[in-house]
């Protein structure tokens, strides 16, 4: 068995964030490069229907999963079935880069189809890498954000968002979804 992030035969790494330009593809590329450096051959999949960045890293040999419905500008959630088939039919490390345009459709798909449980039951460890970004400070963006002279609290949200309501409160950054 090739080096893996876990003892499971399959490990799926998703980069998720609803905002564009925060570094999802960069994080996915770093994760893939790490696995290549330890001798694993990660399968890299770019699901961004608008800006396919991961596929431009030629050394990663990433494939693009087309998600747009025919003759439409909408993402067809059923096209994620192809992604699930890959994850369920092969062993190894998968790195899935998700764009902001497909964040909500992928999140819906994972929730509505109980996909994380299906993957876990099939022996695949799932890692969700959420890129957190901070609201810009008024002093760093003069003229864009009104400055009241008082510090505004930055809303704190769980890195699990609404996808994992049963997760323990301790940090799961290096643990699998289980």
């Amino acid at each position: 068995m090739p080096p893996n992030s876990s003892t499971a035969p399959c490990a799926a790494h998703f980069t998720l964030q609803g905002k564009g330009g925060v570094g999802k593809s960069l994080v996915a590329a770093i994760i893939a490069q790490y696995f290549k450096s330890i001798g694993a051959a990660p399968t890299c999949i770019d699901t961004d229907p608008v800006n396919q960045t991961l596929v431009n890293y030629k050394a990663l040999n990433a494939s693009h999963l087309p998600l747009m419905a025919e003759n439409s500008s909408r993402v067809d959630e059923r096209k994620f079935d192809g992604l699930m088939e890959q994850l369920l039919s092969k062993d190894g490390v998968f790195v899935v880069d998700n764009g902001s345009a497909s964040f909500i459709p992928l999140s819906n798909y994972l929730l509505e189809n109980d996909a994380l449980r299906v993957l876990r039951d099939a022996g695949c460890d799932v890692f969700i890498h959420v890129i957190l970004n901070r609201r810009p400070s008024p002093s760093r963006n003069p003229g864009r954000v009104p400055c009241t002279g008082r510090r505004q609290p930055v809303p704190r949200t769980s890195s699990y968002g609404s996808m994992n309501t049963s997760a323990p409160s301790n940090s799961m950054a290096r643990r699998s979804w289980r």
Side-chain angles (χ1 to χ4, degrees):
M1 183 163 104
N4 199 336
S5 61
S6 65
T7 57
C10 167
H13 293 263
F14 290 85
T15 56
L16 297 175
Q17 170 43 280
K19 182 170 177 2
V22 296
K24 293 179 295 294
S25 298
L26 175 64
V27 169
I30 291 169
I31 293 167
Q33 289 175 46
Y34 165 75
F35 284 111
K36 282 188 76 148
S37 76
I38 63 169
T43 301
C44 300
I45 304 164
D46 192 333
T47 67
D48 193 330
V50 179
N51 297 308
Q52 298 89 37
T53 304
L54 194 63
V55 297
N56 290 318
Y57 292 96
K58 299 301 180 199
L60 298 179
N61 198 28
S63 62
H64 178 246
L65 179 67
L67 297 175
M68 301 305 281
E70 288 186 39
N71 302 320
S72 174
S73 61
R74 294 180 181 250
V75 171
D76 182 356
E77 288 183 26
R78 293 174 296 172
K79 302 227 176 170
F80 288 116
D81 289 341
L83 173 64
M84 286 295 289
E85 287 176 20
Q86 281 189 33
L87 297 174
L88 292 169
S89 65
K90 290 188 196 175
D91 288 345
V93 177
F94 295 86
V95 178
V96 181
D97 183 27
N98 184 58
S100 60
S102 57
F103 171 74
I104 291 176
L106 177 59
S107 298
N108 286 340
Y109 181 90
L110 294 173
L111 288 169
E112 291 172 4
N113 295 289
D114 205 11
L116 300 176
R117 184 194 52 78
V118 170
L119 290 168
R120 186 188 68 228
D121 290 351
C124 188
D125 283 342
V126 178
F127 299 86
I128 305 292
H129 303 275
V130 178
I131 290 69
L132 300 176
N133 66 328
R134 193 172 157 222
R135 185 171 56 177
S137 165
S139 62
R140 292 188 184 152
N141 290 311
R144 295 176 81 195
V145 179
C147 183
T148 61
R150 295 182 300 179
R151 280 193 75 161
Q152 299 295 319
V154 176
R156 304 283 183 209
T157 58
S158 167
S159 61
Y160 297 103
S162 62
M163 292 180 59
N164 187 3
T165 57
S166 63
S169 61
N170 62 330
S171 173
M172 299 279 289
R174 291 176 298 225
R175 295 186 191 172
S176 69
W177 189 263
R178 291 185 209 191

